[in-house]
Amino acid sequence: KATAEALDKVFYVGEYTGPGCTTEISSSMKAQTKAFYDNAIQLSLVWNFSNMGNIEYSFTADSEGGLKAFELIREYNRKYAAGEVRD
């Protein structure tokens, strides 16, 4: 993160979490998302969204796991939008 800041670049975490988010939002996913927020990580990508849900361990926007994952994302987006970003 310090290197990204020194270069005036965005720091992001690509594809985090895992198969658990296909059926539920695991405590691991919640902990990871909170850690990114607490450390002011500007962008992270939840693994493994698929429009059709036809990829192993994938979730869609309207599957049980997808609904929960997107709600978690919206929760943290609201925190950022409300100016609750940590430095």
Side-chain angles (χ1 to χ4, degrees):
K1 183 177 173 195
T3 300
E5 289 173 352
L7 296 171
D8 198 28
K9 300 291 182 184
V10 171
F11 182 83
Y12 75 96
V13 176
E15 296 195 271
Y16 75 99
T17 194
C21 78
T22 60
T23 56
E24 62 184 42
I25 297 302
S26 66
S27 59
S28 174
M29 182 179 178
K30 288 179 182 178
Q32 291 169 354
T33 302
K34 184 178 182 322
F36 300 148
Y37 177 77
D38 288 346
N39 290 284
I41 304 302
Q42 297 123 320
L43 178 65
S44 55
L45 307 173
V46 178
W47 182 86
N48 182 20
F49 177 79
S50 169
N51 280 326
M52 296 177 61
N54 59 346
I55 299 170
E56 186 177 27
Y57 301 123
S58 65
F59 61 91
T60 64
D62 58 356
S63 68
E64 181 182 356
L67 292 170
K68 291 177 181 178
F70 284 113
E71 181 52 38
L72 184 63
I73 292 166
R74 283 191 291 274
E75 173 187 340
Y76 280 88
N77 283 344
R78 286 190 293 269
K79 290 181 180 200
Y80 280 104
E84 298 178 28
V85 178
R86 308 234 166 93
D87 291 324

